[in-house]
Amino acid sequence: MNEPRANDHIPSAQALSRIRKYVEKYREKTGTSAHPDPEVTEGVVLGLAAHIDEFGRPLCPCNFYPDKSAELATSRRWVCACDEMKRYKYCHCLLFVTPEGLPVTEYLPEDHEGREVYGLVKAPTPEQGP
């Protein structure tokens, strides 16, 4: 895994524990899996935990925000689990995926960029909703 840069926030043990438990429970709830490359998961978990320390909420670390505080004040859209995950079972961060490491795309609108990039990827557990 990459070494943290000087300006990276090293998350607290409490935030890391909190987000790891959340991710595990949400995977159970949605029937999704961890990415087969542990570094993918670890990078997202570290970013979410750092945002818990900094903002008190797990803001998605995979997006660019001109002002993170403003994003949190005006929207829940990118707070994990984000709106796309809750609505379509689609995780652009690859935190909640199929066993092969692909995001579920079958519930996305056909013109969604996730569908264009990954094609049709069926949910491994369709009986378990987002």
Side-chain angles (χ1 to χ4, degrees):
M1 187 158 96
N2 295 336
E3 291 296 316
R5 297 178 301 243
N7 62 348
D8 285 349
H9 173 82
I10 306 299
S12 68
Q14 181 181 4
L16 275 169
S17 175
R18 179 177 161 194
I19 202 65
R20 288 185 202 288
K21 286 178 189 172
Y22 171 78
V23 167
E24 190 60 38
K25 294 276 185 210
Y26 202 77
R27 284 185 183 138
E28 289 173 14
K29 175 183 174 181
T30 60
T32 55
S33 300
H35 194 280
D37 180 347
E39 287 190 26
V40 171
T41 297
E42 190 64 11
V44 178
V45 165
L46 288 170
L48 289 167
H51 284 164
I52 287 175
D53 284 341
E54 190 173 354
F55 302 108
R57 298 172 75 189
L59 181 65
C60 178
C62 302
N63 286 297
F64 171 75
Y65 311 96
D67 183 341
K68 293 177 185 176
S69 296
E71 177 70 26
L72 286 166
T74 61
S75 173
R76 263 203 51 87
R77 181 174 178 213
W78 296 113
V79 173
C80 191
C82 70
D83 287 354
E84 287 186 325
M85 183 62 194
K86 289 180 195 169
R87 187 170 180 189
Y88 301 119
K89 206 173 190 174
Y90 175 75
C91 180
H92 66 280
C93 298
L94 303 179
L95 189 59
F96 306 108
V97 294
T98 67
E100 298 77 29
L102 297 172
V104 173
T105 63
E106 78 172 298
Y107 306 115
L108 289 172
E110 288 188 31
D111 62 345
H112 189 280
E113 69 179 32
R115 225 21 179 344
E116 293 173 16
V117 171
Y118 296 103
L120 178 63
V121 179
K122 296 208 176 239
T125 54
E127 69 282 356
Q128 289 177 271

